[in-house]
Amino acid sequence: MKIAFRNLIKQKGFTFINIAGLAIGLTCFLLIGLYIKDELSYDRFNKNADRIYRVSRIFKSNDGTVSLHLGHVAPAFMQHFQTDFTEAEQITRLYGLNSVIYRPENIEKKYQEQRMYFADANLLKVFSINLLSGNADKVLANPFTVAIAKPIAEKYFGKEDPIGKLLKIEGKYDFTVSGVFEPLPTQSHFHADFLMAMSTLNDKRLYGKEEMNNDWGGNNFATYFLLPKGYDIASFEKRTKSFLDQHLPVYDGRKGSEYSDLKFQKLTDIHLYSHLDSEHEANGNIKYVYTFSAIAFFILLIACINYMNLATARSASRAKEVGLRKVVGAVRAQLIAQFLSESLLVTLFALTIALVSTVLLIPVLNDFTEKNLTFNGLFDFEFLTLIIGIIFFTGVLAGSYPAFFLTAFQPVEVLKGKIKNAMRNGRLREALVVIQFSIACILIISTGVVYKQLSFMLNQDTGYKKDQVLLMRVGNSNAIDFESFKQELKRQAGVTNVSQSSRTPTGRLLDSQGARVTKGDSLAPTSTEIKALAVDHDYLQTYQIPLAAGRDFSRAFKSDDSTAYILNEAAVKSIGWKSSSDAINEIFVYGGKRGRVIGVVKDYHFESLHQKIVPMVMFINNSRRNWFSVKLSAGDFQSTIAGIEKTWKTYVPDTPFSYQFLDERFNNQYKAEQKQRTLFVIFAGLSIFISCLGLFALAAFMAEQRRKEIGVRKVLGASVGSITSLLSKDFIKPVMVSIFIASPIAWYAMTSWLTDFAYKVEIEWWIFPAAGAMAIVIAMITVCYQAVSAALMNPVKSLKSE
């Protein structure tokens, strides 16, 4: 170790570059490793995680294609699951909602809560929820009881014991606190602050037991099965066809299995593999895990290649050292240990720096990923084993060439200089530079494609005006005079229009009912699902959505409130009408309600560009419009919002005022892509930087090796330019080769990535040479600095040494 340390001190510049490169590579590896470890650990805190399955529901169009895949099912399924799937140890459900909550004795302190669920009494027998107070068997057994998370108990009750005390929900229902539980870990696919007894919904005021048992359409219940250990889930799914045919009602002449299907998802697969049309929360993506794992490995590999490159370059100068050691009795195993000890020493220094850097950068990573990663995550057994493995892998890989290749030669050949001359061909070094810059080019090309796709999505014409639109969601309370509220908002200074709708752009179109149109002499169901959007007379004007044919809803026509429909162009096409104008005045039956098509709007991107524009129908429905879209004029937004808040408190006193701007929601749709772009820029930059560190050191070393040759050439009249060209061309060639290797790999990777988007950019040919040119320019700048320095050196200094 002493000799290894002396060798490292002797070559301070190369040692610094090796340690710096490895430290950066290891820091990236550790940070990404923490992120990946967190992503892979979701829901595994549950004791029975490997035996819990969530049932999801598929809806099929008339042509058999999947029109909707929900992570929730209807309440009517439960009674039949319990009688038909008796081998299940437990079946439990969650039904989410959000509501205003306050203590009856503290009516001034009202809170709008989001993470609320009705839960079956056996929930704690399925999920590992740590109950701090209350009886696990009874905590959710009785109607109008609620278990609350510890932070919620402190929020509402302070230091008081909350058990037995009341919380008022929706301003009219009193719930008794029956338990307090530890908050669910971050790594859970759902998070609950309130768990209310599911039996409460049997009350007619909320749902009604009979209504629940006959409701096959309200797909809002997340349903989980706890199956026996080793049970074959495939046998479960095989029975769903007969189950659906037996229990589901016939719909449009189709049996249950012809328009619906059930799938069972493993609990531990939900976070990374499930991206259904309804989820409790936004999930992760296994593609990101694979991508970042590859990036972490490649950046570490680039750093290792730097070490190997410099080690192989310097090994020629250490050939005599090996020969002399062998002459005085050193055996090969001792020499291998010597080289590997130097390599491991460098790796340990780099790891120390990397660990410190990781601690400092974890808060930045948490802000970026919106996670709660900690440094302690590095020290569980699996991760610690991985770190130790990385040290040895990196150390052995980086020191393998001189350790195993150089020590194999006979000392007589080494001392005669035969090996030194043989090792100067640099083929291995060229191959390693090719690998380095191939990885860098792949990341540069990928960054370019991600940037183009994101710019395309953010700047794509959506077909509606999203600027200066303020969104507010109001409950469905009958006590609210929605029309008066709307008219008062329209009178506000700074408000140009107000509209109500069941959903808003940037959301998902999940509601659908059977549609029928005239075919021949009778009405027949359409072959595709047509999504529903309940609106008011001002919806199209507020969003400035243009008509392709017909007219907008009008208060001048009373029939518009009940029998008028407006379709989009995609619906017209799916029904089979030749043009938008052909659809006008056609009979259209939707959800059993007969009417006529009065207008057709041009297709617009209601959902994100991840989804195709789907067939859609708009109609007036006063009972389903709980979203308010307020179009603001340019000016003082703050005073306008203050006025809106004042009106809100007058008409919606029981709900705290909250709002969001539509353009913010629009940008949030592409948050994952924006983060991915940032990460690619960072990692591409780091890969280039580490590669150039190695290239810089390698060029310096090669210039030093050819110092006398350069001196002789200068004496014979060689110019600075010719010497610079001579030294540079050996490095530019492998960089150019790397472009040809990287281009097809990057093209394949980015083509696969773009399949997640219904609307996407084309990967244009110029991206590949542009990325290559960038890599060449960066490499040239790096190498030319050393080449010019060597060419400008006084030849007297390089030739007088002997």
Side-chain angles (χ1 to χ4, degrees):
M1 292 300 291
K2 185 193 291 185
I3 294 167
F5 189 76
R6 284 176 179 172
N7 274 321
L8 297 178
I9 292 295
K10 185 179 178 182
Q11 300 286 339
K12 293 183 182 68
F14 293 126
T15 301
F16 171 77
I17 286 173
N18 278 330
I19 291 175
L22 283 173
I24 293 170
L26 285 168
T27 302
C28 290
F29 193 95
L30 292 174
L31 288 170
I32 293 174
L34 280 174
Y35 166 80
I36 291 170
K37 176 178 172 289
D38 183 81
E39 287 289 283
L40 294 175
S41 65
Y42 266 73
D43 292 304
R44 296 184 188 277
F45 67 90
N46 289 290
K47 184 177 68 176
N48 299 316
D50 60 331
R51 299 196 288 130
I52 302 172
Y53 289 80
R54 182 180 72 174
V55 61
S56 64
R57 186 177 185 182
I58 292 172
F59 284 90
K60 295 182 281 188
S61 301
N62 287 339
D63 59 2
T65 58
V66 174
S67 63
L68 205 61
H69 192 174
L70 302 174
H72 303 76
V73 299
F77 278 101
M78 185 64 166
Q79 58 181 324
H80 302 296
F81 282 153
Q82 291 172 327
T83 56
D84 289 32
F85 296 102
T86 53
E87 60 268 57
E89 292 182 11
Q90 300 287 341
I91 305 174
T92 195
R93 298 171 299 172
L94 289 169
Y95 171 50
L97 73 157
N98 60 76
S99 177
V100 176
I101 298 183
Y102 58 90
R103 292 183 66 180
E105 61 270 30
N106 195 2
I107 195 169
E108 297 302 318
K109 281 197 171 183
K110 296 178 180 178
Y111 299 96
Q112 181 76 44
E113 300 289 359
Q114 304 291 331
R115 305 196 305 188
M116 303 173 63
Y117 292 94
F118 284 102
D120 281 313
N122 63 344
L123 184 79
L124 274 62
K125 294 180 180 178
V126 178
F127 292 100
S128 300
I129 298 174
N130 184 22
L131 197 64
L132 300 175
S133 59
N135 187 318
D137 293 326
K138 298 178 181 178
V139 71
L140 294 173
N142 299 317
F144 294 97
T145 56
V146 57
I148 58 178
K150 185 180 178 182
I152 294 296
E154 294 168 354
K155 176 179 175 180
Y156 284 88
F157 299 98
K159 293 182 179 179
E160 297 178 53
D161 181 3
I163 302 299
K165 293 188 169 61
L166 296 179
L167 286 174
K168 193 171 281 289
I169 297 178
E170 285 288 351
K172 48 186 167 180
Y173 304 113
D174 287 328
F175 278 74
T176 303
V177 178
S178 57
V180 178
F181 58 89
E182 196 74 46
L184 286 164
T186 305
Q187 298 84 6
S188 175
H189 78 285
F190 76 92
H191 294 87
D193 290 331
F194 300 82
L195 291 172
M196 298 166 290
M198 186 72 76
S199 56
T200 309
L201 294 179
N202 291 334
D203 190 294
K204 280 277 188 181
R205 293 173 296 167
L206 287 102
Y207 212 127
K209 186 173 183 179
E210 188 177 338
E211 286 76 9
M212 288 178 68
N213 287 339
N214 291 304
D215 183 358
W216 295 101
N219 296 283
N220 298 308
F221 290 73
T223 305
Y224 303 87
F225 283 67
L226 177 63
L227 298 177
K229 205 160 192 172
Y231 191 84
D232 181 16
I233 192 65
S235 66
F236 233 49
E237 291 193 334
K238 285 177 184 175
R239 292 157 55 190
T240 57
K241 184 179 184 299
S242 58
F243 172 84
L244 293 169
D245 287 341
Q246 181 183 352
H247 297 297
L248 257 64
V250 174
Y251 180 72
D252 267 344
R254 293 188 292 166
K255 294 186 295 184
S257 65
E258 292 175 343
Y259 66 83
S260 195
D261 199 0
L262 297 175
K263 294 291 180 185
F264 290 85
Q265 300 173 307
K266 198 170 184 179
L267 178 68
T268 51
D269 287 346
I270 291 175
H271 178 67
L272 290 176
Y273 296 92
S274 181
H275 305 96
L276 306 184
D277 293 307
S278 67
E279 298 280 1
H280 287 301
E281 299 173 11
N283 286 331
N285 194 322
I286 191 62
K287 286 186 178 180
Y288 293 161
V289 172
Y290 291 149
T291 300
F292 296 145
S293 298
I295 287 172
F297 172 76
F298 286 140
I299 286 181
L300 188 57
L301 180 62
I302 288 172
C304 291
I305 287 172
N306 270 358
Y307 196 159
M308 289 180 71
N309 257 338
L310 294 178
T312 54
R314 289 181 57 218
S315 58
S317 63
R318 296 189 68 178
K320 284 186 179 179
E321 175 194 337
V322 172
L324 285 170
R325 285 178 182 277
K326 283 195 169 187
V327 167
V328 295
V331 296
R332 191 182 181 202
Q334 291 172 317
L335 293 170
I336 289 172
Q338 177 63 45
F339 281 107
L340 290 181
S341 67
E342 288 182 27
S343 180
L344 287 169
L345 194 61
V346 169
T347 307
L348 284 170
F349 282 140
L351 180 64
T352 304
I353 296 170
L355 288 171
V356 173
S357 302
T358 301
V359 172
L360 296 175
L361 289 171
I362 280 176
V364 179
L365 182 64
N366 283 335
D367 287 342
F368 187 78
T369 60
E370 298 176 2
K371 287 182 176 290
N372 190 27
L373 305 175
T374 64
F375 187 67
N376 294 334
L378 294 171
F379 296 107
D380 64 24
F381 177 75
E382 286 119 1
F383 208 73
L384 203 56
T385 305
L386 180 63
I387 292 173
I388 294 169
I390 289 166
I391 294 170
F392 282 99
F393 170 79
T394 306
V396 171
L397 179 65
S400 58
Y401 183 85
F404 296 101
F405 180 74
L406 198 60
T407 58
F409 293 108
Q410 294 300 318
V412 66
E413 294 176 327
V414 173
L415 295 174
K416 285 181 179 180
K418 292 181 180 178
I419 304 307
K420 189 173 181 179
N421 293 330
M423 293 178 69
R424 281 187 172 170
N425 60 23
R427 290 295 173 84
L428 176 62
R429 291 194 298 278
E430 281 189 8
L432 294 175
V433 170
V434 166
I435 294 171
Q436 272 188 319
F437 275 89
S438 293
I439 295 169
C441 284
I442 289 169
L443 289 173
I444 291 171
I445 293 166
S446 299
T447 302
V449 174
V450 170
Y451 188 90
K452 276 197 71 181
Q453 177 63 18
L454 185 58
S455 299
F456 169 75
M457 291 188 297
L458 294 175
N459 299 312
Q460 173 77 349
D461 181 14
T462 57
Y464 63 89
K465 301 296 183 184
K466 61 181 179 293
D467 299 327
Q468 299 169 206
V469 177
L470 181 143
L471 303 177
M472 302 182 298
R473 190 173 186 182
V474 185
N476 289 318
S477 173
N478 294 325
I480 301 171
D481 185 349
F482 286 98
E483 188 57 33
S484 297
F485 179 40
K486 176 182 170 180
Q487 294 308 320
E488 186 61 34
L489 287 173
K490 291 178 79 170
R491 283 192 285 269
Q492 291 280 333
V495 174
T496 60
N497 212 334
V498 181
S499 172
Q500 286 177 263
S501 56
S502 57
R503 297 182 184 272
T504 61
T506 70
R508 293 299 312 278
L509 287 166
L510 301 179
D511 308 316
S512 64
Q513 302 173 44
R516 289 175 172 269
V517 295
T518 305
K519 292 185 179 179
D521 296 327
S522 61
L523 288 167
T526 57
S527 59
T528 57
E529 292 281 344
I530 298 179
K531 303 299 182 184
L533 181 65
V535 299
D536 65 2
H537 303 83
D538 301 304
Y539 180 80
L540 297 186
Q541 293 176 32
T542 301
Y543 285 102
Q544 299 176 47
I545 300 169
L547 284 161
R551 63 174 177 84
D552 193 358
F553 295 112
S554 172
R555 291 180 178 84
F557 299 94
K558 283 290 182 185
S559 59
D560 281 8
D561 291 356
S562 56
T563 60
Y565 295 102
I566 293 178
L567 305 175
N568 66 348
E569 291 174 311
V572 171
K573 186 177 179 181
S574 70
I575 290 168
W577 288 316
K578 291 181 180 178
S579 67
S580 298
S581 56
D582 288 340
I584 305 304
N585 288 325
E586 285 288 336
I587 294 173
F588 188 79
V589 179
Y590 196 75
K593 185 181 285 188
R594 184 186 178 107
R596 289 187 181 274
V597 178
I598 64 166
V600 176
V601 295
K602 290 185 177 293
D603 282 338
Y604 67 100
H605 292 279
F606 189 95
E607 300 172 304
S608 79
L609 269 69
H610 287 278
Q611 284 85 32
K612 288 184 177 180
I613 294 175
V614 296
M616 178 173 62
V617 57
M618 289 174 276
F619 49 85
I620 304 291
N621 187 322
N622 295 326
S623 65
R624 297 175 60 191
R625 306 189 315 239
N626 59 345
W627 278 99
F628 276 76
S629 302
V630 184
K631 182 73 173 179
L632 307 180
S633 58
D636 186 0
F637 285 169
Q638 292 307 314
S639 61
T640 303
I641 293 170
I644 292 171
E645 182 177 7
K646 187 177 179 182
T647 304
W648 175 282
K649 288 180 178 178
T650 301
Y651 285 90
V652 197
D654 291 333
T655 305
F657 176 68
S658 64
Y659 67 91
Q660 190 175 14
F661 279 101
L662 179 63
D663 54 359
E664 291 176 358
R665 279 181 43 134
F666 178 83
N667 290 332
N668 284 339
Q669 291 180 117
Y670 309 114
K671 208 177 207 179
E673 287 75 29
Q674 288 172 326
K675 288 182 177 181
Q676 199 169 20
R677 176 184 66 178
T678 303
L679 285 173
F680 269 113
V681 169
I682 292 169
F683 291 135
L686 284 174
S687 66
I688 285 286
F689 177 73
I690 297 171
S691 299
C692 288
L693 266 181
L695 211 57
F696 181 85
L698 199 57
F701 185 83
M702 297 309 292
E704 177 62 25
Q705 291 289 89
R706 300 178 72 175
R707 186 166 56 90
K708 288 187 178 178
E709 177 192 342
I710 293 167
V712 171
R713 287 178 179 275
K714 287 198 74 174
V715 168
L716 295 175
S719 65
V720 172
S722 64
I723 293 172
T724 301
S725 175
L726 176 73
L727 294 174
S728 302
K729 66 180 183 182
D730 290 339
F731 294 99
I732 300 305
K733 185 171 67 174
V735 175
M736 294 185 71
V737 171
S738 70
I739 298 165
F740 291 100
I741 294 172
S743 295
I745 297 172
W747 177 86
Y748 176 78
M750 286 296 97
T751 300
S752 300
W753 180 75
L754 287 170
T755 56
D756 287 341
F757 302 91
Y759 301 90
K760 51 184 176 281
V761 296
E762 295 292 328
I763 302 179
E764 297 178 90
W765 66 269
W766 58 265
I767 289 178
F768 303 103
M774 186 184 295
I776 289 172
V777 168
I778 293 169
M780 281 288 289
I781 292 170
T782 305
V783 172
C784 284
Y785 175 82
Q786 289 290 358
V788 170
S789 298
L792 290 174
M793 187 183 291
N794 189 337
V796 173
K797 289 183 179 180
S798 57
L799 295 176
K800 72 175 184 179
S801 60
E802 294 180 0

